[in-house]
Structures are given as structure tokens and as C-alpha cells.
């Protein structure tokens, strides 16, 4: 107690050795005392948590620390390791298990100096427990896990890489014995963990055992008799195995073996629901003419499975291996068989359980039911493979983009399962981000159609519950042209109903409750579509997306703002999930308001009101986003053009005494504003430098009145040029291009809309005649779009004067 009184607080380093010795006395059993395994299972996590939280094994060595404290702490860690090694040498399996588990924690938490001086001793101690005569399955599993922790820590020290490869080579044969001879699945899972550490961190140790490791893992995967978790771990190791050789031929050969094995299992699984020509076509892509067929995966020839079950587990695991090979790093550049992999994806997604007419006599209802029950799993893994292809290849997929778009759009029309639709939306977002606006033009119609069908089912609420369809100007939303839910009895003969075309999958989704997760995926996809493709050829679909997102955001907030403390809004949907849906809808709405467009956002006022209420009433996460949305929309609420300070100073410090003042951006709405702006600048040049542009707006109004009074005394023929253009506020008269000018100049001039920037900063000509108005504008303004690389049209004052 006296020692504890001398401690300052819980951060005092003197507390660590005291606490470590207390844990040894409290949790670690003495050598002659038995261990209560039930209590240890509950107390062991608490012991590990205390050690990791307080860093009791770190042994900080610094000049600022008292040497006496360093020695005390080192002595406490020595006692800790002595107890662990004593437990490892015990004949009692429960004590040995506790010691092995705590040694794995020690490998992660001890100091670098302690680890480098002891790792070889610890590895040999743990190795003895996965070799005969070790018979405890629990000890074997714990030993594999602790060895994996030790190898992971050892890989951080390049200076001991050679010694690490030698020690890792001792573990290969014991691991292979565990995979081949042990019959407990949990042991295989532990062996897979250790094998992954060996391949990932010490691949050179696997090189001499490459074929044996492949055969041991492949036999387990091809049997398909084990749990999905175990098969995935084994498959991950098999996908990383080519790293042991590190050349491109090993990677390509392993990928080819995976694809051929998948194709062989699909030929067996799809008998009766797929034409034989499809399988032959896939085989030709995998093994081009003139090339030899490689050895089968694992060296064993393909054997058919029982007709009572499909090889779904094997096919899904092999496809998982392909995904990991595509997304994992590799030391050299490899060639990916994109065409054959896309053909495999298309083949899987094409099969929906329907029977070809030629196969009807050979299939039973039981066989068809079996196939249909397993197809969702196969479709999910085929979509995962497509995702991995996009992640691994990205822009290199451009030559295959049309093929991918065709696969995705065709499957979107048939897919109705929520999990699969979420994956499809994810694929579309990845395509938009990786390939850009070019792919957005082709995907936009299908994305909008499917997203509308998914979003129109708002929690069992009919479309009529949306705001009145009086247009955006009145604060309501226009009604979308989607089919409403039909109530009432349908009449008609059975022949008419049978002959009527069946509804599309997208249309049927409108009549059912769409899960919120699917709605959020649709909103996220529309957000990415607007971000990527709103600036290019979006006029045909932009209005429908804006209206849909506004309606979705309003409907999502009708029943209150979601947060963790709120009640449940929908059956089987928690408040947090509904809050996430609100967040997705508001985020998509903000993107809709900020995305580039030729006109002002039609639902700006409604969106501002929604964000204002969310900032005041919603939970913390939604309120923060609504505040950010209001900040981001400030540029649309109060558009303004700020002067450039450095540009202003440069104009006043010119050597010739002339003063030129420009604004970088001006939102110009009429020719009068342009003329008054130029007149104001000419007066500034004549009369000297005035104050800064704080009173610019007042002087614009004054100049407009003066120009109107001057125009009253101008003859009608002189007013012809001023009245020749339509008086429409949606257009801006940027330049006056004369008919006598060359056609090349006319090609560079286009009309701007009111929301576009029309002024480019440049210096005025020094000798501008006082009587020129439009000609001066030509010297200052730049055309909207043109072939001139500089983007500026030069006007000849003499030519204009003669033409006038």
C-alpha cells in the first residue's frame, strides 16, 4: 500500500510493473495447482484487455526514465514470460492452452528488443505443439494462431528476413500434415490462418512445397463438404499461392485452372437449363485452339458430384479465389483474361431457372427446383467477380465497356432480389467512377428507370401522398410519369391474362415494399450519375432525376427526423436505418442542386426549406449535414463576383498611369448591364481612380437610367441593332457579331445562359473611342464556345465604325 501511495495517477510508469505482477498472481496458476478451465475462459479476455490497454509488456527504455524503474519493469516481464513458458511445458492441455494464447498476445505487445531476442525460442516451443505426439485439438488450433501472430510481427523486421524464411520453412510440413491427416475442420481453419501468414510474409519458404500445398488445399475445396468460412480461408491461401514463385506464368496458370474448374462444374450443374452450345463457347475461350490443356487444379482430374446437390460451395469458392487474385497485389505485371472472365459472368447471369424447349422432356420439377434454389448464390458470386474485374482493371476495361454495359443492363431487367440489386447498383457506381462521363451516357436511361421503380415504393405509401403536382414554383413537386398502384378487381378472361405481356421486373417492384437498403443504393447511384454525367448531354434525363430526388427527400422526412433515440418508423426497420435513408436522400438532393445545369435548380427553394428544418430538428448527424448543405448552397442563394485583390493592386501600380478595373465573373442578364458596366469603366479611365467596388451596384442603376434617357433621343434607324434580339432574360447578349465579318469568327460565338460566366479577365485597349459601346465589349468579352484556342475574338474598331 505504501508503494501505491507514491504513484501520481494511472499514467505513472511505476504502476505498470506492479500491475503486471498482480495479474500474474491473480490469473496465472501456479505450477502445482490445477486450472479451472471454465473460469479461465471467462477471465482470459479480461486479462488480455488489461495487458493491451495499459501496455504492460512494452518495456519503455528511455533516458528520461529512472533506471531503477526500468530494471523493475524488465524483471516483471521476465517473470511473466517464465510463467508462460512453464505453462507451455505442462502436461495438462488446459494449462498449455492458456500459455499458448498468452504467448501469442506477448508476441504482439512486447518491445522490439524483447521480441528479436526471443522469437526463435518461442517459435520452437509453439512448433512442438502442432507436431506429433501432440493430440489436443484445442492446443493445435491455439498454436497455429499464435504462430501466425509471431510471423506477422517478425515480417516487420527486414534485417531478420533470411532467418525468418529458414524458421518458416520448418512449419510447412507440419501444416500440410494438419491439412491432410487431421479430420477436424476447426484444425484446418487454424492451419489456414498459419498458411496465409507463411504465404503473405515469407513466400520463399513455400517455393519447394508449391505443388503439395496446391494439392492439399484444392482437395478440400473441390470436395465442397465444409463450412463457407473454412472454404474461403483455404481459397484465399490458394489465390495467394502464386506469390511463392513470383512470376507471371504462375499467376496466369493458376487463374486458368480456376476458370476451367468452374466451367466443368457449371457444365454439370446447368444440365437441362442451358444449351450445350453455351458451354462449348465458354470452353473455347478458356483454352484457345492450338494450346494444350493445363493440368487440373490440384493435379486431380474432375469427378462429378452427386445429383442430389449442386456443387455450389465449390463453384462459389473458386470464384472467390478469382476475385482475390484480381484484387491482391502481385510482384510482377500479369495479363488478365478479361474476355473469358466476362463470358463466364454472362453465362452465369443468363441462367434464371427457365427450361429451354428442347430440354422440357428431360427435366423433372425436382431438378428445376434444386437449380432455382441455388441460383441466387451463384449470381451473387458472379456479380462479385464482375466487381473484382472492375476494381482490378479500372480504365483498362474501356475496350470491354460495351460488353460490360450489355451484361449489366440485361440483368437489371430480370433481377428482383434485393441483395443482387444492391450489388448491381454498386457495379454501376464503380463503372461511372472508373470510366467517367462516356459510360454515363449509356447507363443513364437504365439507371434512372430502375432507380425510379425502387424509389417509388416509399414505405407502403402511394405516389399520391407526394406533394401536389402544381410545379416547383408553388412549392410542390410535379408528378412523375410512373405507374401508380392499382386497386380493385381486374376483369377479363384467362386467355387474355395469359396472352397479355408479363410485367417487367422493374415494374413489379413498384407494387411491393422495397427494402430501405435497396433505396439507399439507388440514391447513391443517382448521386454518382449526377456527379459524373450532369455536365454532358444530361438534358434528356436531368429533370426527371431532379424531380425524383426532391420527391424522395420530402417523403423520407414526412414522418419525422430519424435518430438513434427516436421510435421505430417502419415495421422491421430501426430508427437508425431510417436515419441512414434520410441521410442518403438529402445527400443526393444536395448533389442534384449543385450539379452543373443550364438553368437554375427548379427545386432550390424547397431544398433550402428542407435543409433548414433538418438543421433545427434532426439528430446530430443529419443536422450537421444539413448545415453543410446550406453552406454549400450559399453560392446559389447569393451569387456574387468578388474582385481580385492582387489584380486590383496591379492595375493601380501601372507605369503609364492608366487604371483598369475588372471583375473576374459577372452574372450578366441583359445588354443594358453590359453597356452600363463598360460605360462605368470608361468614365473611370477618364476621371481617375475611384474608391473600390463597394458601390458598384448603385452606379449600375444610375447608369441604366442615364442610358434610357439617352436612348429616347436616338432615331429609330439607330435603335435597330438594339431591338433586333429577343427580350428574353434567359439569354445574355455577350457579343455583337456583324454579318460582314468572316464566317470563322461567327463559328466561335455562341449564346450563354444567365447562370454562366461571361467575362474573362484581360486588359482593355488603351485607345478605346468614347463613342464605341459594343466594339469595346468585343475587346473585353470572350465567346462561350469556339474553335479559337485562346477563346477571344478581336474586334477591329475601324471596321465597326465604317459599318455603322
Amino acid at each position: 500500500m505504501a508503494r501505491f501511495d507514491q504513484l501520481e495517477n494511472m499514467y505513472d510508469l511505476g504502476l505498470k510493473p506492479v500491475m503486471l505482477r498482480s495479474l500474474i498472481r491473480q490469473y496465472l496458476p501456479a505450477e502445482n495447482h490445477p486450472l479451472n478451465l471454465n473460469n479461465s475462459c471467462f477471465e482470459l479476455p479480461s486479462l488480455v484487455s488489461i495487458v493491451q490497454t495499459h501496455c504492460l509488456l512494452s518495456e519503455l527504455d528511455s533516458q528520461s526514465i529512472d533506471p531503477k524503474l526500468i530494471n523493475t519493469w524488465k524483471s516483471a516481464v521476465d517473470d511473466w514470460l517464465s510463467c508462460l513458458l512453464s505453462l507451455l511445458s505442462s502436461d495438462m492441455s488446459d494449462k498449455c492452452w492458456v500459455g499458448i494464447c498468452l504467448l501469442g498476445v506477448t508476441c504482439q505487445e512486447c518491445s522490439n528488443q524483447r521480441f528479436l531476442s526471443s522469437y526463435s525460442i518461442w517459435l520452437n516451443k509453439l512448433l512442438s505443439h502442432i507436431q506429433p505426439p501432440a493430440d489436443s485439438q484445442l492446443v493445435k488450433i491455439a498454436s497455429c494462431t499464435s504462430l501466425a501472430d509471431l510471423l506477422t510481427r517478425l515480417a516487420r523486421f527486414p534485417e531478420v528476413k533470411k532467418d525468418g524464411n529458414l524458421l518458416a520453412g520448418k512449419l510447412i510440413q507440419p501444416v500440410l500434415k494438419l491439412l491432410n491427416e487431421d479430420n477436424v475442420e476447426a484444425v484446418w481453419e487454424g492451419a489456414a490462418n498459419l498458411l496465409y501468414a507463411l504465404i503473405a510474409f515469407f513466400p520463399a519458404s513455400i517455393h519447394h512445397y508449391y505443388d503439395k500445398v496446391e494439392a492439399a488445399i484444392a482437395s478440400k475445396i473441390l470436395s465442397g463438404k465444409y463450412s463457407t468460412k473454412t472454404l474461403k480461408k483455404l481459397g484465399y491461401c490458394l489465390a495467394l499461392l502464386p506469390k511463392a514463385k513470383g512470376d507471371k506464368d504462375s499467376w496466369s496458370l493458376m487463374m486458368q485452372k480456376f476458370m476451367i474448374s468452374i466451367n466443368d462444374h457449371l457444365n454439370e450443374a446447368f444440365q437441362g437449363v442451358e444449351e450445350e452450345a453455351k458451354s462449348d463457347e465458354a470452353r473455347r475461350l478458356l483454352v484457345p485452339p492450338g494450346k494444350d490443356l493445363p493440368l487440373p487444379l490440384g493435379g486431380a482430374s474432375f469427378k462429378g458430384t452427386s445429383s442430389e446437390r449442386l456443387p455450389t460451395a465449390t463453384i462459389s469458392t473458386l470464384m472467390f479465389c478469382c476475385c482475390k487474385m484480381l484484387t491482391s497485389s502481385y510482384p510482377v505485371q500479369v495479363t488478365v483474361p478479361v474476355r473469358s472472365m466476362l463470358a463466364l459472368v454472362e453465362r452465369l447471369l443468363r441462367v434464371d431457372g427457365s427450361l429451354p424447349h428442347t430440354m422440357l422432356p428431360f427435366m423433372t420439377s425436382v431438378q428445376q427446383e434444386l437449380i432455382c434454389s441455388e441460383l441466387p448464390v451463384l449470381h451473387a458470386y458472379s456479380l462479385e467477380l464482375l466487381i473484382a474485374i472492375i476494381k482490378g482493371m479500372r480504365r483498362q476495361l474501356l475496350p470491354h465497356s460495351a460488353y460490360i454495359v450489355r451484361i449489366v443492363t440485361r440483368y437489371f431487367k430480370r433481377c428482383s432480389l434485393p441483395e443482387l440489386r444492391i450489388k448491381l447498383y454498386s457495379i454501376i457506381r464503380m463503372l461511372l467512377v472508373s470510366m467517367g462521363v462516356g459510360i454515363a451516357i449509356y447507363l443513364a436511361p437504365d439507371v434512372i428507370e430502375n432507380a425510379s421503380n425502387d424509389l417509388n415504393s416509399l414505405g407502403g405509401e402511394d405516389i399520391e401522398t407526394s406533394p401536389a403536382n402544381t410545379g416547383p414554383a408553388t412549392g410542390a413537386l410535379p408528378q412523375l410519369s410512373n405507374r401508380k398502384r392499382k386497386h380493385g378487381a381486374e376483369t377479363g378472361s384467362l386467355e387474355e391474362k395469359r396472352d397479355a405481356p408479363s410485367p417487367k421486373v422493374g415494374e413489379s417492384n413498384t407494387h411491393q415494399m422495397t427494402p430501405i437498403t435497396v433505396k439507399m443504393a439507388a440514391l447513391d447511384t443517382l448521386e454518382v450519375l449526377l456527379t459524373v454525367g450532369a455536365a454532358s448531354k444530361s438534358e434528356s434525363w436531368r429533370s426527371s432525376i431532379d424531380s425524383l430526388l426532391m420527391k424522395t427527400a420530402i417523403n423520407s422526412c414526412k414522418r419525422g427526423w430519424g435518430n438513434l433515440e427516436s421510435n421505430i418508423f417502419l415495421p422491421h426497420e430501426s430508427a437508425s436505418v431510417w436515419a441512414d435513408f434520410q441521410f442518403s436522400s438529402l445527400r443526393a438532393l444536395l448533389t442534384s442542386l449543385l450539379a452543373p445545369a443550364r438553368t437554375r435548380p427548379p427545386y432550390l427553394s424547397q431544398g433550402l426549406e428542407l435543409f433548414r428544418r433538418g438543421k433545427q430538428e434532426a439528430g446530430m448527424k443529419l443536422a450537421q449535414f444539413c448545415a453543410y448543405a446550406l453552406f454549400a448552397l450559399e453560392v446559389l442563394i447569393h451569387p456574387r463576383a468578388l474582385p481580385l485583390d492582387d489584380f486590383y493592386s496591379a492595375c493601380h501600380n501601372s507605369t503609364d498611369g492608366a487604371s483598369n478595373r475588372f471583375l473576374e465573373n459577372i452574372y450578366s442578364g441583359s445588354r443594358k448591364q453590359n453597356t452600363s458596366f463598360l460605360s462605368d469603366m470608361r468614365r473611370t479611365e477618364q476621371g481617375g481612380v475611384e474608391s473600390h467596388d463597394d458601390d458598384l451596384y448603385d452606379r449600375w442603376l444610375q447608369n441604366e437610367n442615364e442610358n434610357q434617357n439617352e436612348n429616347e433621343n436616338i432615331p429609330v434607324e439607330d435603335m435597330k441593332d438594339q431591338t433586333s434580339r429577343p427580350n428574353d432574360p434567359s439569354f445574355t447578349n455577350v457579343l455583337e457579331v456583324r454579318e460582314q465579318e468572316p464566317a470563322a469568327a461567327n463559328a466561335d460565338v455562341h449564346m450563354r445562359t444567365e447562370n454562366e460566366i461571361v467575362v474573362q479577365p484581360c486588359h482593355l485597349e488603351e485607345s478605346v473611342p468614347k463613342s464605341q459601346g459594343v466594339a469595346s465589349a468585343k475587346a473585353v468579352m470572350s465567346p462561350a464556345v469556339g474553335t479559337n484556342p485562346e477563346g477571344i475574338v478581336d474586334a477591329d474598331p475601324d471596321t465597326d465604325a465604317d459599318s455603322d
Side-chain angles (χ1 to χ4, degrees):
M1 181 63 69
R3 180 69 187 91
F4 184 79
D5 293 338
Q6 299 175 5
L7 299 176
E8 295 181 0
N9 49 41
M10 66 177 181
Y11 303 107
D12 193 343
L13 293 180
L15 177 63
K16 298 183 183 299
V18 177
M19 187 181 296
L20 185 59
R21 292 185 184 278
S22 299
L23 294 177
I24 294 174
R25 291 193 302 268
Q26 182 178 357
Y27 290 98
L28 299 185
E31 184 176 357
N32 299 326
H33 290 77
L35 177 69
N36 190 342
L37 188 58
N38 293 329
N39 292 336
S40 298
C41 292
F42 290 104
E43 294 176 351
L44 191 60
S46 176
L47 172 60
V48 173
S49 177
I50 295 174
V51 171
Q52 293 177 340
T53 302
H54 295 275
C55 301
L56 300 183
L57 302 177
S58 58
E59 292 185 83
L60 296 178
D61 189 2
S62 176
Q63 296 179 356
S64 59
I65 303 177
D66 185 6
K68 184 177 179 181
L69 176 60
I70 295 176
N71 294 330
T72 304
W73 197 352
K74 183 177 180 299
S75 176
V77 176
D78 290 338
D79 293 342
W80 167 269
L81 289 174
S82 177
C83 290
L84 295 188
L85 295 178
S86 176
L87 292 174
L88 283 171
S89 303
S90 176
D91 296 333
M92 303 174 65
S93 60
D94 51 357
K95 281 189 175 184
C96 189
W97 173 78
V98 171
I100 292 172
C101 293
L102 294 178
L103 185 58
V105 176
T106 305
C107 293
Q108 300 174 356
E109 297 296 323
C110 69
S111 64
N112 292 340
Q113 184 178 0
R114 173 78 67 172
F115 180 81
L116 291 176
S117 62
S118 306
Y119 70 87
S120 60
I121 300 175
W122 297 345
L123 187 143
N124 291 323
K125 285 284 186 180
L126 294 172
L127 177 60
S128 62
H129 292 286
I130 62 174
Q131 292 178 324
D135 56 353
S136 174
Q137 309 298 336
L138 196 63
V139 170
K140 291 180 181 179
I141 298 171
S143 299
C144 290
T145 305
S146 296
L147 282 170
D149 294 335
L150 189 149
L151 293 176
T152 304
R153 177 75 182 274
L154 186 61
R156 303 177 188 174
F157 303 97
E159 62 271 17
V160 295
K161 189 73 173 180
K162 183 177 181 180
D163 189 35
N165 283 321
L166 294 176
L167 291 175
K170 298 180 180 180
L171 302 174
I172 305 301
Q173 289 185 347
V175 171
L176 291 177
K177 284 188 176 181
L178 292 178
L179 290 174
N180 293 326
E181 300 177 4
D182 210 298
N183 56 0
V184 178
E185 185 175 347
V187 175
W188 298 339
E189 186 176 346
N193 293 333
L194 178 55
L195 187 59
Y196 167 78
L198 290 169
I199 298 174
F201 302 118
F202 300 96
S205 62
I206 308 288
H207 191 274
H208 297 292
Y209 303 93
Y210 186 93
D211 295 334
K212 294 181 179 180
V213 173
E214 178 185 342
I217 299 176
S219 63
K220 298 291 184 296
I221 294 176
L222 296 178
S223 65
K225 300 178 181 179
Y226 312 108
S227 65
T228 303
K229 183 180 179 181
T230 302
L231 290 177
K232 279 190 173 183
K233 287 188 175 184
L234 293 172
Y236 203 171
C237 295
L238 191 57
L240 297 180
L241 189 58
K243 284 187 175 182
K245 293 185 176 180
D247 57 343
K248 64 179 182 180
D249 293 336
S250 300
W251 191 95
S252 300
L253 181 60
M254 183 64 74
M255 178 64 76
Q256 189 180 21
K257 288 181 178 181
F258 286 152
M259 302 287 289
I260 292 175
S261 181
I262 292 172
N263 187 72
D264 292 339
H265 284 84
L266 288 179
N267 292 340
E268 180 189 9
F270 288 166
Q271 288 182 359
V273 295
E274 184 186 45
E275 297 179 357
E276 187 176 354
K278 300 297 182 181
S279 60
D280 295 339
E281 179 183 357
R283 186 75 172 188
R284 286 194 299 269
L285 289 174
L286 294 174
V287 184
K291 290 190 175 182
D292 297 333
L293 187 68
L295 293 176
L297 183 64
S301 59
F302 172 73
K303 298 180 180 179
T305 58
S306 173
S307 60
E308 298 178 357
R309 62 182 182 88
L310 293 179
T312 306
T314 300
I315 296 174
S316 59
T317 304
L318 294 175
M319 296 184 73
F320 174 79
C321 294
C322 295
C323 295
K324 292 305 176 183
M325 289 190 69
L326 290 170
T327 56
S328 300
S329 61
Y330 199 67
V332 297
Q333 188 175 1
V334 297
T335 302
V336 179
V338 178
R339 183 65 179 84
S340 58
M341 299 182 78
L342 292 177
L344 174 63
V345 172
E346 184 183 25
R347 179 187 180 187
L348 274 164
L349 297 180
R350 189 189 295 117
V351 177
D352 59 358
S354 60
L355 302 179
H357 294 288
T358 56
M359 298 295 178
L360 288 177
F362 307 101
M363 287 291 292
T364 63
S365 59
V366 176
Q367 292 175 320
Q368 186 180 16
E369 179 183 353
L370 178 63
I371 293 175
C372 292
S373 64
E374 300 290 343
L375 277 178
V377 178
L378 297 177
H379 283 193
Y381 276 96
S382 62
L383 293 178
E384 288 290 343
L385 179 58
L386 182 56
I387 291 174
I389 294 172
I390 299 173
K391 284 183 179 180
M393 303 298 295
R394 297 185 69 81
R395 287 190 175 272
Q396 299 179 40
L397 281 177
L398 283 176
H400 307 276
S401 58
Y403 191 14
I404 296 175
V405 169
R406 183 168 67 249
I407 293 175
V408 172
T409 53
R410 287 180 178 177
Y411 187 65
F412 229 145
K413 296 177 182 179
R414 305 192 307 270
C415 176
S416 61
L417 294 179
E419 294 79 6
L420 300 181
R421 291 187 71 83
I422 292 174
K423 290 183 182 294
L424 278 173
Y425 280 124
S426 176
I427 291 172
I428 291 176
R429 291 196 299 271
M430 295 175 60
L431 289 173
L432 292 173
V433 172
S434 60
M435 298 188 184
V437 67
I439 205 75
I441 298 175
Y442 297 97
L443 286 175
D446 294 279
V447 171
I448 296 172
E449 179 184 0
N450 286 278
S452 300
N453 292 329
D454 289 330
L455 293 174
N456 279 339
S457 176
L458 295 172
E461 184 177 292
D462 289 340
I463 297 178
E464 289 85 347
T465 60
S466 60
N469 303 315
T470 56
T474 60
L477 294 175
Q479 184 176 358
L480 296 178
S481 59
N482 295 57
R483 291 180 174 86
K484 300 179 181 178
R485 182 178 301 179
K486 296 183 180 180
H487 301 281
E490 296 181 359
T491 59
S493 63
L494 293 176
E495 293 293 334
E496 293 176 352
K497 294 181 180 180
R498 185 178 61 183
D499 297 337
S502 58
K504 297 180 180 179
V505 173
E507 296 176 357
S508 63
N509 288 344
T510 311
H511 302 273
Q512 62 185 4
M513 175 83 73
T514 303
I516 289 184
T517 52
V518 178
K519 296 177 185 291
M520 289 191 292
L523 288 170
D524 295 341
T525 306
L526 292 178
E527 179 184 354
V528 176
L529 177 62
L530 285 171
T531 304
V532 174
S536 177
K537 298 183 180 181
S538 61
E539 296 83 0
S540 59
W541 49 264
R542 179 61 186 275
S543 60
S544 60
I545 285 189
D546 293 339
S547 177
L548 176 63
L549 294 179
M550 187 71 247
K551 185 191 73 173
T552 304
I554 291 178
N555 280 280
S556 67
C557 302
K558 273 186 175 180
R559 305 180 184 183
W561 296 93
N563 53 60
L564 295 177
E565 291 78 22
S566 301
N567 294 326
I568 294 178
F569 292 93
L570 290 178
H572 311 295
E573 296 290 350
S574 64
S576 60
V577 174
W578 186 255
D580 292 337
F581 173 58
Q582 287 180 339
F583 181 78
S584 297
S585 62
L586 293 176
R587 189 177 59 192
L589 176 61
L590 177 62
T591 304
S592 171
L593 297 176
L594 293 177
R598 294 184 178 272
T599 59
R600 191 174 180 84
Y603 306 107
L604 179 59
S605 60
Q606 294 167 281
L608 290 173
E609 176 62 21
L610 200 61
F611 290 129
R612 186 192 63 81
R613 288 195 291 112
K615 179 182 176 182
Q616 297 174 353
E617 303 174 11
M620 184 57 65
K621 182 180 179 180
L622 288 175
Q624 289 178 353
F625 177 78
C626 290
Y628 166 75
L630 292 174
F631 170 76
L633 293 172
E634 178 69 18
V635 66
L636 298 180
I637 304 172
H638 301 107
R640 56 188 177 273
L642 301 178
L644 296 175
D645 291 339
D646 53 348
F647 197 79
Y648 178 78
S649 302
C651 293
H652 282 69
N653 295 331
S654 59
T655 57
D656 57 359
S659 176
N660 300 324
R661 297 188 307 156
F662 296 171
L663 296 177
E664 183 179 12
N665 299 328
I666 291 181
Y667 289 88
S668 178
S670 65
R671 180 187 173 187
K672 293 180 180 180
Q673 292 180 353
N674 293 330
T675 306
S676 61
F677 173 69
L678 295 171
S679 300
D680 175 70
M681 296 181 67
R682 288 199 302 272
R683 281 202 315 275
T684 303
E685 294 174 358
Q686 298 172 4
V689 180
E690 299 178 1
S691 61
H692 202 46
D693 294 331
D694 295 337
D695 58 342
L696 182 59
Y697 178 72
D698 295 335
R699 289 186 281 111
W700 274 4
L701 295 180
Q702 181 180 358
N703 291 333
E704 284 186 4
N705 296 332
E706 293 176 0
N707 292 334
Q708 290 177 1
N709 295 333
E710 292 175 0
N711 292 337
E712 292 178 357
N713 300 324
I714 298 177
V716 176
E717 57 271 13
D718 295 336
M719 295 286 292
K720 181 178 180 181
D721 186 68
Q722 299 183 18
T723 59
S724 60
R725 292 185 179 270
N727 188 16
D728 187 350
S730 64
F731 292 94
T732 303
N733 300 328
V734 179
L735 296 174
E736 292 289 341
V737 182
R738 308 195 60 81
E739 297 180 358
Q740 292 83 359
E741 292 181 349
N746 293 335
D748 290 339
V749 180
H750 295 272
M751 298 299 294
R752 286 266 191 177
T753 57
E754 63 176 348
N755 287 335
E756 292 181 313
I757 298 172
V758 300
V759 177
Q760 178 173 340
C762 60
H763 292 286
L764 280 174
E765 300 290 340
E766 294 183 3
S767 58
V768 179
K770 297 180 182 180
S771 60
Q772 289 182 359
V774 178
S776 300
K778 291 181 180 180
V780 178
M781 306 296 179
S782 63
V785 180
T787 59
N788 188 1
E790 289 80 16
I792 299 176
V793 178
D794 295 330
D796 189 358
D798 298 334
T799 304
D800 291 341
D802 295 340
S803 61
D804 289 335

